[in-house]
Amino acid sequence: MNSDIEKLRKKINEIDRKLIELLAERRKISKEVVVAKKESGKPIRDQQREMELLSKIISIGKEHNLDSHFVTKIFYEIIDDSVRLQQKYLQDYKPETGSGILRVAIQGIEGSYSYLATTQFFAHNEEELIFLYKETFDEVVNAVEKGEADYAVLPIENTTSGGINEVYDLLLHTTLSIVGEEKFQVKHCLIGTQDATISKLKKIFTHYQGASQCSKFLASLPNCEISFYTDTAMSARKIVEENNPAYGAIASEEAANLFNVKILKRNIANQSENYTRFLVCARKPKEVDPRIPAKTSLVMATSHTPGSLANAIAVFQKYNVNMTKLESRPILGNPWEEMFYLDFEGNPADPVIRQLLDELGKHTRFLKILGTYPSKDIVKTKLDYFKTGNTVIENNEVTGTAKIDEDKKQPKPEVKRSYKLASRDYKPEDTIIKVGDIEIGGDNFIVIAGPCSVESHDQIFACANEAKEHGAQILRGGCFKPRTSPYSFQGLGFEGLELLEAAGKTYGLPVITEVLAPDQVEAVARQADILQIGARNMQNFSLLKAVGRCHRPVMLKRGMMSSLDELLNAAEYILSQGNRQVILCERGIRTFETATRNTLDLSAIPILKELTHLPIIVDPSHAIGQRDKVVPLAKAAKVVGAHGIMVEFHPEPEKALSDPDQALRFDQFEEMMRDLRKL
Ligand code: PEP
Ligand code: MN
């Protein structure tokens, strides 16, 4: 027995060795490619080629029973490595002195987030990294200006607490240039000495940024005094020096390990995805090779006349250049006047960008380029399963669509509507809602899939895997269930939401879940990417107002006894509160027919598309209520022009705790996805 395992392990070791050798060989060739590209001047990324490659290796994976999620994950790692390697070849960061030592000034000490981000940024450098630890950002900048250090690494913004004002203000006056950026995922922990426990803590040392990013957790410890400290790593060092079990600190796991203190609680930030962006600055600007996607930062002041900022920004639209950041700061000494900090995708080495900057200059009374640097956003190549460009019949003459378009142009009798923001008259162009990198609305067709209710870890992870494997873009799962009987399963609540969020994160799928009450909205919006308002709540006006005040997209399901006019008025409640990201969902209405759970009103789709700019999703599962008839309705929804469908499926439909009869089996779901792709 043991010798069998030994033999198998040997085989595995041999395979792993080969994998590593092949990866090394791939890297070598990738380096040769960049050398060849250097001669031809081609950009280092070719998304079209990557898409073809990804599609090919997914199908090879399928032949060998490897799921596409697994293959895609490995592919991303390889591409990421290859892009970084090629970028490094074209753009390296050398010490000014040409020595083998790279001197970097940061605010803070070893173990601080600046320290960790710097280590990550220079990871591929061969030079020895020497840190100059400074107390203030001002001193960091000075160290480079005076030539004591080669680079300054400065935090500029955090995804929870926002821009770091002191650094913005320094950028205005310094002679340094931005030559790089780094994005670092900050994972705050509560730490203490070996005898500390959370309940014993009386005082917590923290940097003010750490306190602001973990404000919700700190509020749960009302008896703890918060003591502000210079930085997170110093807070860790402080509790070691004090050696008092009543003292805690907020710092990274790395700092806790460095100072050998105990982690009392991980992930205490308000948002689990908490990133800080750092700028790398040097004395001289650095040219960025045109084959690398670059960003440029600038600061400007526009004149104090109506429309001057709009005119300046319109220049970016004119040249079709994407702005990634706009931040304003008061001008010291000039009350009520502002400086605008702006980042955009582009490189002044490109003549179009030079022209843009020239023109921008005419609309400003101050303009300073802060630097151009390689962008750290490595876009993941995705396969688009459902571009609706490939509709069934494309010849206008044969289908008579030309005639239909003519009809559309005929003037329609004026109708007085009680909704405004939801109407096409108000906004003629389609609303496209972006969730991560998925677009809902316009020409896109998307699939939302998942169980009726989240029931367990294994169930929702199996569903997420299945959804991803066959190209669904969004994972659904009810956590708070509106059940007809109070004795039926009511959902797992926030515990279910944790599982849904974890499954979505693991498989890279945004998640949607239903909210039942206004007081749930804020908490659910923290974890779900899209909020659902169920059919039974379509006219729950206080709930509509609550989701209207929230920043997440909302999918509003048509009430089972509601007209389209009532649906659009319900959408208006949400829109008029400020939330302009509303998706409508047709899920079947109640008629005299008893053969189906509801009657799917497919005619609603073309009518709604005429009346409103909002995206429309069809839910065939709740409409028909029988699993064997979901697929034809899903196909019909695509053909009538819906922007997507939402279906329920389950690893073991008969055992589902809610809506077992309509849940597709995985094989049926797979077949549906295949059929939809052909349409
Ligand atoms: C659901 O989508 O889980 C649901 C309860 O649907 P509806 O509100 O359409 O009944
Ligand atoms: Mn359901």
Side-chain angles (χ1 to χ4, degrees), residues 481-529:
K481 296 302 299 177
R483 304 305 301 278
T484 304
S485 161
Y487 306 117
S488 304
F489 174 61
Q490 303 284 309
L492 294 183
F494 285 105
E495 194 189 318
L497 188 52
E498 287 284 329
L499 297 174
L500 180 67
E501 188 194 15
K505 287 250 155 68
T506 306
Y507 288 92
L509 295 167
V511 299
I512 176 169
T513 201
E514 179 166 351
V515 272
L516 289 184
D519 61 6
Q520 276 171 357
V521 170
E522 214 190 304
V524 175
R526 243 175 266 144
Q527 288 177 287
D529 302 282

Short mmCIF file of all heavy atoms in Angstrom, two decimals, residues 481-529:
data_model
loop_
_atom_site.label_atom_id
_atom_site.label_comp_id
_atom_site.label_asym_id
_atom_site.label_seq_id
_atom_site.Cartn_x
_atom_site.Cartn_y
_atom_site.Cartn_z
N LYS A 481 -35.50 35.24 2.11
CA LYS A 481 -36.48 34.74 1.16
C LYS A 481 -37.90 35.21 1.48
O LYS A 481 -38.35 35.06 2.62
CB LYS A 481 -36.46 33.20 1.16
CG LYS A 481 -35.17 32.57 0.67
CD LYS A 481 -34.79 33.00 -0.74
CE LYS A 481 -35.80 32.62 -1.79
NZ LYS A 481 -35.37 33.13 -3.13
N PRO A 482 -38.59 35.75 0.49
CA PRO A 482 -39.98 36.17 0.71
C PRO A 482 -40.91 34.98 0.47
O PRO A 482 -41.38 34.77 -0.64
CB PRO A 482 -40.18 37.23 -0.39
CG PRO A 482 -39.24 36.80 -1.49
CD PRO A 482 -38.15 35.97 -0.89
N ARG A 483 -41.16 34.15 1.48
CA ARG A 483 -41.93 32.93 1.24
C ARG A 483 -43.41 33.13 1.55
O ARG A 483 -43.77 33.85 2.49
CB ARG A 483 -41.38 31.78 2.12
CG ARG A 483 -39.88 31.51 1.93
CD ARG A 483 -39.50 31.24 0.47
NE ARG A 483 -40.19 30.13 -0.11
CZ ARG A 483 -39.83 28.87 0.04
NH1 ARG A 483 -38.75 28.58 0.75
NH2 ARG A 483 -40.51 27.89 -0.51
N THR A 484 -44.26 32.47 0.77
CA THR A 484 -45.70 32.60 0.96
C THR A 484 -46.10 32.11 2.36
O THR A 484 -46.91 32.72 3.03
CB THR A 484 -46.42 31.79 -0.14
OG1 THR A 484 -45.95 32.27 -1.39
CG2 THR A 484 -47.92 31.95 -0.06
N SER A 485 -45.48 31.00 2.78
CA SER A 485 -45.81 30.49 4.11
C SER A 485 -44.71 30.86 5.11
O SER A 485 -43.52 30.69 4.81
CB SER A 485 -45.93 28.97 4.06
OG SER A 485 -45.80 28.44 5.36
N PRO A 486 -45.09 31.32 6.29
CA PRO A 486 -44.06 31.66 7.28
C PRO A 486 -43.32 30.43 7.78
O PRO A 486 -42.29 30.54 8.45
CB PRO A 486 -44.86 32.32 8.41
CG PRO A 486 -46.25 31.83 8.25
CD PRO A 486 -46.45 31.58 6.78
N TYR A 487 -43.87 29.23 7.51
CA TYR A 487 -43.21 28.01 7.99
C TYR A 487 -42.19 27.48 6.99
O TYR A 487 -41.47 26.55 7.27
CB TYR A 487 -44.27 26.94 8.31
CG TYR A 487 -45.32 27.49 9.26
CD1 TYR A 487 -46.65 27.60 8.87
CD2 TYR A 487 -44.94 27.94 10.53
CE1 TYR A 487 -47.59 28.14 9.72
CE2 TYR A 487 -45.88 28.49 11.40
CZ TYR A 487 -47.20 28.58 10.98
OH TYR A 487 -48.13 29.13 11.82
N SER A 488 -42.16 28.04 5.76
CA SER A 488 -41.19 27.58 4.76
C SER A 488 -39.81 28.14 5.10
O SER A 488 -39.69 29.11 5.85
CB SER A 488 -41.57 28.07 3.37
OG SER A 488 -42.86 27.66 3.05
N PHE A 489 -38.78 27.54 4.51
CA PHE A 489 -37.39 27.97 4.70
C PHE A 489 -37.26 29.46 4.38
O PHE A 489 -37.62 29.90 3.30
CB PHE A 489 -36.51 27.12 3.78
CG PHE A 489 -35.06 27.53 3.74
CD1 PHE A 489 -34.28 27.49 4.89
CD2 PHE A 489 -34.47 27.94 2.53
CE1 PHE A 489 -32.94 27.86 4.85
CE2 PHE A 489 -33.14 28.31 2.49
CZ PHE A 489 -32.37 28.26 3.65
N GLN A 490 -36.71 30.22 5.31
CA GLN A 490 -36.67 31.69 5.16
C GLN A 490 -35.32 32.21 4.66
O GLN A 490 -35.13 33.42 4.56
CB GLN A 490 -37.00 32.36 6.51
CG GLN A 490 -38.35 31.95 7.10
CD GLN A 490 -39.52 32.63 6.40
OE1 GLN A 490 -39.55 33.84 6.25
NE2 GLN A 490 -40.49 31.83 5.95
N GLY A 491 -34.40 31.30 4.39
CA GLY A 491 -33.07 31.73 3.91
C GLY A 491 -32.07 31.78 5.06
O GLY A 491 -32.45 31.84 6.23
N LEU A 492 -30.77 31.77 4.70
CA LEU A 492 -29.72 31.74 5.72
C LEU A 492 -29.32 33.14 6.21
O LEU A 492 -28.44 33.29 7.04
CB LEU A 492 -28.47 31.03 5.18
CG LEU A 492 -28.58 29.54 4.85
CD1 LEU A 492 -27.22 29.01 4.39
CD2 LEU A 492 -29.06 28.75 6.06
N GLY A 493 -29.95 34.18 5.66
CA GLY A 493 -29.63 35.54 6.12
C GLY A 493 -28.19 35.92 5.82
O GLY A 493 -27.63 35.52 4.79
N PHE A 494 -27.60 36.67 6.75
CA PHE A 494 -26.25 37.18 6.50
C PHE A 494 -25.20 36.07 6.40
O PHE A 494 -24.19 36.22 5.72
CB PHE A 494 -25.86 38.22 7.56
CG PHE A 494 -26.54 39.53 7.33
CD1 PHE A 494 -27.61 39.94 8.12
CD2 PHE A 494 -26.15 40.34 6.28
CE1 PHE A 494 -28.26 41.13 7.87
CE2 PHE A 494 -26.80 41.55 6.02
CZ PHE A 494 -27.85 41.94 6.82
N GLU A 495 -25.48 34.95 7.07
CA GLU A 495 -24.56 33.82 6.98
C GLU A 495 -24.53 33.32 5.52
O GLU A 495 -23.48 33.00 4.97
CB GLU A 495 -25.11 32.72 7.90
CG GLU A 495 -24.18 31.59 8.21
CD GLU A 495 -24.96 30.50 8.94
OE1 GLU A 495 -25.78 30.84 9.83
OE2 GLU A 495 -24.78 29.33 8.59
N GLY A 496 -25.72 33.30 4.89
CA GLY A 496 -25.81 32.91 3.49
C GLY A 496 -25.09 33.91 2.59
O GLY A 496 -24.42 33.55 1.61
N LEU A 497 -25.21 35.18 2.95
CA LEU A 497 -24.59 36.24 2.15
C LEU A 497 -23.06 36.11 2.18
O LEU A 497 -22.39 36.32 1.16
CB LEU A 497 -25.05 37.60 2.67
CG LEU A 497 -24.67 38.83 1.86
CD1 LEU A 497 -25.05 38.68 0.40
CD2 LEU A 497 -25.32 40.08 2.44
N GLU A 498 -22.53 35.75 3.34
CA GLU A 498 -21.07 35.50 3.45
C GLU A 498 -20.66 34.42 2.45
O GLU A 498 -19.66 34.56 1.73
CB GLU A 498 -20.71 34.96 4.85
CG GLU A 498 -20.76 35.97 5.97
CD GLU A 498 -19.56 36.90 5.98
OE1 GLU A 498 -18.49 36.46 5.55
OE2 GLU A 498 -19.74 38.07 6.38
N LEU A 499 -21.45 33.33 2.40
CA LEU A 499 -21.13 32.21 1.51
C LEU A 499 -21.24 32.63 0.05
O LEU A 499 -20.38 32.30 -0.77
CB LEU A 499 -22.07 31.03 1.77
CG LEU A 499 -22.01 30.40 3.18
CD1 LEU A 499 -23.09 29.35 3.34
CD2 LEU A 499 -20.62 29.78 3.41
N LEU A 500 -22.30 33.40 -0.25
CA LEU A 500 -22.51 33.86 -1.62
C LEU A 500 -21.35 34.74 -2.06
O LEU A 500 -20.80 34.59 -3.16
CB LEU A 500 -23.84 34.63 -1.70
CG LEU A 500 -24.22 35.18 -3.07
CD1 LEU A 500 -24.52 34.05 -4.05
CD2 LEU A 500 -25.45 36.10 -2.97
N GLU A 501 -20.96 35.67 -1.18
CA GLU A 501 -19.87 36.58 -1.51
C GLU A 501 -18.56 35.79 -1.73
O GLU A 501 -17.83 36.02 -2.69
CB GLU A 501 -19.67 37.61 -0.39
CG GLU A 501 -18.68 38.70 -0.77
CD GLU A 501 -18.19 39.53 0.40
OE1 GLU A 501 -18.38 39.13 1.56
OE2 GLU A 501 -17.61 40.60 0.15
N ALA A 502 -18.32 34.82 -0.84
CA ALA A 502 -17.08 34.04 -0.95
C ALA A 502 -17.05 33.24 -2.25
O ALA A 502 -16.04 33.20 -2.96
CB ALA A 502 -16.95 33.11 0.25
N ALA A 503 -18.20 32.64 -2.61
CA ALA A 503 -18.27 31.84 -3.85
C ALA A 503 -18.04 32.76 -5.06
O ALA A 503 -17.30 32.42 -5.98
CB ALA A 503 -19.61 31.13 -3.95
N GLY A 504 -18.66 33.93 -5.03
CA GLY A 504 -18.51 34.89 -6.13
C GLY A 504 -17.06 35.31 -6.27
O GLY A 504 -16.52 35.37 -7.38
N LYS A 505 -16.42 35.61 -5.16
CA LYS A 505 -15.02 36.07 -5.19
C LYS A 505 -14.13 34.96 -5.75
O LYS A 505 -13.25 35.20 -6.57
CB LYS A 505 -14.54 36.42 -3.78
CG LYS A 505 -15.12 37.70 -3.25
CD LYS A 505 -14.05 38.80 -3.14
CE LYS A 505 -14.67 40.17 -3.21
NZ LYS A 505 -15.48 40.49 -2.02
N THR A 506 -14.37 33.73 -5.27
CA THR A 506 -13.53 32.60 -5.70
C THR A 506 -13.59 32.41 -7.21
O THR A 506 -12.59 32.14 -7.85
CB THR A 506 -13.98 31.31 -4.98
OG1 THR A 506 -13.96 31.57 -3.59
CG2 THR A 506 -13.07 30.13 -5.31
N TYR A 507 -14.78 32.55 -7.77
CA TYR A 507 -14.93 32.28 -9.21
C TYR A 507 -14.97 33.56 -10.06
O TYR A 507 -15.26 33.51 -11.25
CB TYR A 507 -16.17 31.42 -9.46
CG TYR A 507 -15.94 30.01 -8.99
CD1 TYR A 507 -16.29 29.62 -7.70
CD2 TYR A 507 -15.30 29.07 -9.81
CE1 TYR A 507 -16.04 28.33 -7.25
CE2 TYR A 507 -15.05 27.79 -9.37
CZ TYR A 507 -15.42 27.42 -8.09
OH TYR A 507 -15.16 26.15 -7.67
N GLY A 508 -14.71 34.70 -9.43
CA GLY A 508 -14.70 35.95 -10.19
C GLY A 508 -16.07 36.29 -10.77
O GLY A 508 -16.18 36.77 -11.89
N LEU A 509 -17.14 36.02 -10.00
CA LEU A 509 -18.49 36.33 -10.47
C LEU A 509 -19.14 37.35 -9.54
O LEU A 509 -19.19 37.13 -8.33
CB LEU A 509 -19.37 35.06 -10.43
CG LEU A 509 -19.00 33.91 -11.37
CD1 LEU A 509 -19.76 32.65 -10.96
CD2 LEU A 509 -19.33 34.28 -12.81
N PRO A 510 -19.64 38.48 -10.06
CA PRO A 510 -20.41 39.38 -9.21
C PRO A 510 -21.66 38.64 -8.72
O PRO A 510 -22.14 37.72 -9.39
CB PRO A 510 -20.80 40.52 -10.14
CG PRO A 510 -20.00 40.35 -11.38
CD PRO A 510 -19.56 38.93 -11.45
N VAL A 511 -22.21 39.07 -7.57
CA VAL A 511 -23.36 38.35 -7.03
C VAL A 511 -24.57 39.26 -6.86
O VAL A 511 -24.45 40.46 -6.64
CB VAL A 511 -23.03 37.69 -5.67
CG1 VAL A 511 -21.91 36.68 -5.83
CG2 VAL A 511 -22.67 38.71 -4.60
N ILE A 512 -25.76 38.64 -6.99
CA ILE A 512 -27.02 39.36 -6.79
C ILE A 512 -27.84 38.63 -5.74
O ILE A 512 -27.87 37.40 -5.74
CB ILE A 512 -27.80 39.49 -8.12
CG1 ILE A 512 -29.17 40.16 -7.89
CG2 ILE A 512 -28.01 38.17 -8.82
CD1 ILE A 512 -29.88 40.57 -9.18
N THR A 513 -28.48 39.39 -4.85
CA THR A 513 -29.35 38.78 -3.84
C THR A 513 -30.48 39.74 -3.50
O THR A 513 -30.35 40.95 -3.69
CB THR A 513 -28.53 38.38 -2.60
OG1 THR A 513 -29.26 37.38 -1.88
CG2 THR A 513 -28.25 39.55 -1.67
N GLU A 514 -31.57 39.17 -2.98
CA GLU A 514 -32.76 39.99 -2.71
C GLU A 514 -32.69 40.68 -1.35
O GLU A 514 -32.20 40.09 -0.39
CB GLU A 514 -34.01 39.09 -2.78
CG GLU A 514 -35.29 39.85 -2.49
CD GLU A 514 -36.56 39.09 -2.87
OE1 GLU A 514 -36.48 38.03 -3.52
OE2 GLU A 514 -37.65 39.58 -2.50
N VAL A 515 -33.17 41.92 -1.29
CA VAL A 515 -33.33 42.59 0.00
C VAL A 515 -34.81 42.71 0.29
O VAL A 515 -35.61 43.01 -0.60
CB VAL A 515 -32.73 44.03 0.05
CG1 VAL A 515 -31.29 44.00 0.44
CG2 VAL A 515 -32.95 44.79 -1.23
N LEU A 516 -35.18 42.48 1.56
CA LEU A 516 -36.60 42.47 1.91
C LEU A 516 -37.04 43.71 2.66
O LEU A 516 -38.21 44.07 2.64
CB LEU A 516 -36.91 41.25 2.79
CG LEU A 516 -36.89 39.88 2.12
CD1 LEU A 516 -37.31 38.81 3.11
CD2 LEU A 516 -37.83 39.86 0.93
N ALA A 517 -36.09 44.35 3.36
CA ALA A 517 -36.50 45.45 4.23
C ALA A 517 -35.53 46.62 4.12
O ALA A 517 -34.34 46.42 3.91
CB ALA A 517 -36.55 44.96 5.67
N PRO A 518 -36.05 47.86 4.29
CA PRO A 518 -35.17 49.03 4.16
C PRO A 518 -33.96 48.98 5.08
O PRO A 518 -32.87 49.38 4.69
CB PRO A 518 -36.10 50.19 4.54
CG PRO A 518 -37.47 49.71 4.25
CD PRO A 518 -37.46 48.24 4.49
N ASP A 519 -34.14 48.46 6.30
CA ASP A 519 -33.00 48.49 7.23
C ASP A 519 -31.92 47.45 6.90
O ASP A 519 -30.88 47.41 7.54
CB ASP A 519 -33.45 48.39 8.69
CG ASP A 519 -34.20 47.11 8.98
OD1 ASP A 519 -34.26 46.24 8.07
OD2 ASP A 519 -34.74 46.97 10.10
N GLN A 520 -32.19 46.57 5.91
CA GLN A 520 -31.16 45.61 5.48
C GLN A 520 -30.27 46.17 4.39
O GLN A 520 -29.18 45.66 4.14
CB GLN A 520 -31.83 44.38 4.84
CG GLN A 520 -32.30 43.34 5.77
CD GLN A 520 -33.13 42.32 4.98
OE1 GLN A 520 -33.38 42.45 3.78
NE2 GLN A 520 -33.55 41.28 5.67
N VAL A 521 -30.78 47.21 3.71
CA VAL A 521 -30.17 47.61 2.44
C VAL A 521 -28.67 47.91 2.58
O VAL A 521 -27.85 47.39 1.83
CB VAL A 521 -30.93 48.82 1.84
CG1 VAL A 521 -30.19 49.42 0.65
CG2 VAL A 521 -32.32 48.38 1.42
N GLU A 522 -28.33 48.74 3.57
CA GLU A 522 -26.93 49.17 3.69
C GLU A 522 -26.00 47.98 3.90
O GLU A 522 -24.97 47.86 3.25
CB GLU A 522 -26.82 50.16 4.84
CG GLU A 522 -25.79 51.22 4.57
CD GLU A 522 -25.53 52.04 5.81
OE1 GLU A 522 -26.50 52.61 6.36
OE2 GLU A 522 -24.36 52.10 6.22
N ALA A 523 -26.40 47.08 4.81
CA ALA A 523 -25.54 45.94 5.13
C ALA A 523 -25.42 44.99 3.93
O ALA A 523 -24.33 44.51 3.61
CB ALA A 523 -26.09 45.21 6.34
N VAL A 524 -26.53 44.73 3.24
CA VAL A 524 -26.48 43.81 2.10
C VAL A 524 -25.64 44.42 0.98
O VAL A 524 -24.86 43.74 0.32
CB VAL A 524 -27.91 43.43 1.63
CG1 VAL A 524 -27.85 42.57 0.37
CG2 VAL A 524 -28.65 42.68 2.73
N ALA A 525 -25.78 45.75 0.80
CA ALA A 525 -25.04 46.43 -0.27
C ALA A 525 -23.53 46.36 -0.05
O ALA A 525 -22.76 46.51 -0.99
CB ALA A 525 -25.48 47.88 -0.38
N ARG A 526 -23.12 46.13 1.18
CA ARG A 526 -21.69 46.02 1.43
C ARG A 526 -21.13 44.74 0.81
O ARG A 526 -19.98 44.67 0.43
CB ARG A 526 -21.44 46.00 2.94
CG ARG A 526 -20.62 47.19 3.40
CD ARG A 526 -20.49 47.22 4.90
NE ARG A 526 -21.52 48.04 5.51
CZ ARG A 526 -22.12 47.79 6.67
NH1 ARG A 526 -21.82 46.71 7.36
NH2 ARG A 526 -23.03 48.61 7.13
N GLN A 527 -21.95 43.70 0.71
CA GLN A 527 -21.43 42.41 0.23
C GLN A 527 -21.95 41.98 -1.14
O GLN A 527 -21.29 41.21 -1.82
CB GLN A 527 -21.76 41.33 1.26
CG GLN A 527 -20.90 41.49 2.51
CD GLN A 527 -21.25 40.48 3.59
OE1 GLN A 527 -22.28 40.61 4.23
NE2 GLN A 527 -20.42 39.47 3.75
N ALA A 528 -23.14 42.47 -1.52
CA ALA A 528 -23.69 42.04 -2.81
C ALA A 528 -23.38 43.10 -3.86
O ALA A 528 -23.35 44.29 -3.56
CB ALA A 528 -25.19 41.85 -2.69
N ASP A 529 -23.16 42.65 -5.10
CA ASP A 529 -22.85 43.60 -6.18
C ASP A 529 -24.11 44.21 -6.78
O ASP A 529 -24.08 45.31 -7.31
CB ASP A 529 -22.05 42.90 -7.28
CG ASP A 529 -20.78 42.31 -6.72
OD1 ASP A 529 -19.84 43.08 -6.52
OD2 ASP A 529 -20.73 41.09 -6.45
#
